[in-house]
Amino acid sequence: MISSLRQPSIAISGSDVFGKRHATLIPPRSFLPSLVSEKSHRYDVSLKKPLHLACIGVGNFGSVKNFETEKSFEKGDLVKCGAYEADRSEVEDSGTPSAAAKKVKIGIYFATWWALNVVFNIYNKKVLNAYPYPWLTSTLSLACGSLMMLISWATRIAEAPKTDLEFWKTLFPVAVAHTIGHVAATVSMSKVAVSFTHIIKSGEPAFSVLVSRFILGETFPVPVYLSLLPIIGGCALAAVTELNFNMIGFMGAMISNLAFVFRNIFSKKGMKGKSVSGMNYYACLSILSLAILTPFAIAVEGPAVWAAGYQTAMAEIGPQFIWWVAAQSIFYHLYNQVSYMSLDEISPLTFSIGNTMKRISVIVSSIIIFHTPVQPVNALGAAIAIFGTFLYSQAKQ
């Protein structure tokens, strides 16, 4: 923190001059007395601009002591400091670039997260249309991400995390919630349009507030609760007017909402005090989720069904189908990895807001690409839900 030396009463003020949180004002006559007492001399010091200390120390002529390292000063010690003239704005704005840089960093994370998510949803729906086995599709997504990170660690492209048994115990409930949310969302998209799944999943802030209120004991202002009304009402209107409504698809999206809220809250708690970065945290999460999901995928669908479906998909789509599977798996890992990197910087509720706003681009792009028929009332419901999300974000500020 830069301190300031101001005319005409010479005094030092600052928050870190002496290595303490609050500095003590030094009497004007304790140093630089010539600026006050010797009026016959001319000094090239402006009275309009403050003097800002660049460095300060205590010394006895030839030797210099540091305020932070020296616990006591001798009587004959003199104060030695360096100062420069500057406008107040130069000092007051000194912390602005770091704050602005953090906002830009989070903005880049969010934009990348949303773009990768759009690409994933497009390829994921293409795969599910040709190969309607969501349990295997979900497993392949986790397996691809796990393999990518294991290779990165082995080749030292990314630094391997230092974990212990306690870390994996803390991660386990997060992995369970992540697995349930991932499979439920994939099941939903295998039964209904991508746009409908994400319209229902735009109600995630409502789940987030309710969970935070009744489980975590957090309280929110009244406008936050009121903003949930258009979110819930819009989702309900969109569901009622959906042309291709499917109960399994609807329930899958609702279960995914609840599971991901718990995942985000558990993740934020699990990351506190840990030296594992967001990127490595999600990599470990993918590995553990893969271990949890694999036996269930085999029990629900099974290799025999997968093999028959693969033959059908290859006959209808051709080798391009393999690229679709690879693309949806890779982009699933990438968008989640970036989202967890952003979770390093934000709260679970802010994460849920960003997750909801992301759905606007997914809904619009999926309607355009897949030519999804949308009734005016259905579109109105989606717009009301999204507008409710905007009101929610404003109420949270």
Side-chain angles (χ1 to χ4, degrees):
M1 181 70 68
I2 298 176
S3 303
S4 62
L5 178 62
R6 183 175 300 283
Q7 298 289 339
S9 61
I10 309 299
I12 295 178
S13 64
S15 61
D16 209 319
V17 174
F18 297 105
K20 300 179 181 178
R21 190 160 297 272
H22 301 288
T24 305
L25 291 176
I26 299 177
R29 297 181 183 277
S30 65
F31 70 105
L32 297 180
S34 60
L35 290 178
V36 179
S37 59
E38 298 182 15
K39 297 183 179 180
S40 59
H41 292 263
R42 291 189 59 187
Y43 295 92
D44 190 16
V45 177
S46 171
L47 298 180
K48 295 182 179 181
K49 295 183 178 180
L51 288 176
H52 302 285
L53 264 64
C55 61
I56 185 166
V58 175
N60 192 352
F61 294 101
S63 62
V64 177
K65 301 176 183 178
N66 192 299
F67 272 112
E68 297 181 3
T69 59
E70 292 293 331
K71 296 182 180 179
S72 61
F73 311 117
E74 298 177 4
K75 187 175 181 180
D77 284 341
L78 299 178
V79 174
K80 182 177 181 180
C81 63
Y84 65 94
E85 251 183 309
D87 291 324
R88 172 183 289 271
S89 61
E90 295 182 26
V91 178
E92 291 180 343
D93 296 339
S94 59
T96 303
S98 59
K102 184 176 181 180
K103 290 181 179 180
V104 171
K105 181 180 179 181
I106 295 175
I108 293 174
Y109 279 159
F110 270 48
T112 306
W113 171 25
W114 297 347
L116 292 172
N117 187 259
V118 168
V119 177
F120 157 72
N121 277 277
I122 292 172
Y123 280 108
N124 191 47
K125 186 59 177 177
K126 284 178 176 287
V127 170
L128 292 172
N129 285 341
Y131 192 75
Y133 301 105
W135 287 80
L136 177 60
T137 304
S138 302
T139 305
L140 292 176
S141 300
L142 295 173
C144 179
S146 300
L147 180 62
M148 289 170 61
M149 289 309 301
L150 288 173
I151 293 175
S152 298
W153 293 338
T155 57
R156 300 186 181 277
I157 296 176
E159 184 179 356
K162 297 179 181 179
T163 61
D164 52 19
L165 182 59
E166 188 63 28
F167 171 82
W168 292 100
K169 287 181 179 179
T170 306
L171 187 65
F172 183 77
V174 184
V176 172
H178 178 70
T179 303
I180 294 173
H182 178 38
V183 174
T186 309
V187 169
S188 176
M189 280 189 278
S190 69
K191 299 295 183 181
V192 296
V194 175
S195 56
F196 179 70
T197 297
H198 283 276
I199 289 172
I200 301 304
K201 284 176 68 63
S202 66
E204 188 172 316
F207 287 87
S208 183
V209 169
L210 294 176
V211 169
S212 298
R213 175 66 183 88
F214 293 105
I215 295 182
L216 301 181
E218 297 182 17
T219 57
F220 305 95
V222 174
V224 172
Y225 294 109
L226 293 178
S227 69
L228 301 182
L229 297 179
I231 295 176
I232 297 172
C235 289
L237 181 61
V240 171
T241 58
E242 174 65 24
L243 293 175
N244 299 313
F245 180 84
N246 181 282
M247 182 56 70
I248 296 177
F250 174 76
M251 291 305 299
M254 294 291 284
I255 293 171
S256 179
N257 274 342
L258 186 60
F260 281 152
V261 167
F262 277 106
R263 181 199 67 176
N264 296 341
I265 293 174
F266 291 152
S267 294
K268 195 66 178 180
K269 285 187 174 182
M271 291 169 73
K272 287 183 178 179
K274 301 291 183 181
S275 58
V276 179
S277 66
M279 180 178 66
N280 282 337
Y281 188 91
Y282 179 70
C284 295
L285 178 62
S286 294
I287 295 172
L288 188 53
S289 295
L290 176 63
I292 296 171
L293 178 58
T294 300
F296 287 96
I298 295 174
V300 174
E301 293 174 347
V305 175
W306 296 338
Y310 175 75
Q311 296 296 332
T312 303
M314 290 295 290
E316 294 179 355
I317 307 300
Q320 191 177 12
F321 171 72
I322 298 176
W323 159 247
W324 290 356
V325 174
Q328 73 91 20
S329 300
I330 293 172
F331 282 105
Y332 173 80
H333 175 77
L334 292 178
Y335 101 74
N336 273 288
Q337 188 178 79
V338 173
S339 72
Y340 266 79
M341 292 169 68
S342 66
L343 191 58
D344 272 337
E345 311 288 340
I346 58 179
S347 67
L349 287 175
T350 305
F351 184 90
S352 294
I353 295 171
N355 200 29
T356 303
M357 298 303 292
K358 160 202 77 180
R359 302 195 192 285
I360 299 176
S361 56
V362 174
I363 292 170
V364 173
S365 61
S366 64
I367 290 174
I368 295 174
I369 292 173
F370 295 107
H371 305 287
T372 305
V374 180
Q375 290 183 326
V377 180
N378 186 262
L380 177 62
I384 292 174
I386 293 171
F387 180 67
T389 303
F390 171 76
L391 294 179
Y392 173 83
S393 63
Q394 295 300 306
K396 282 294 298 175
Q397 290 183 356

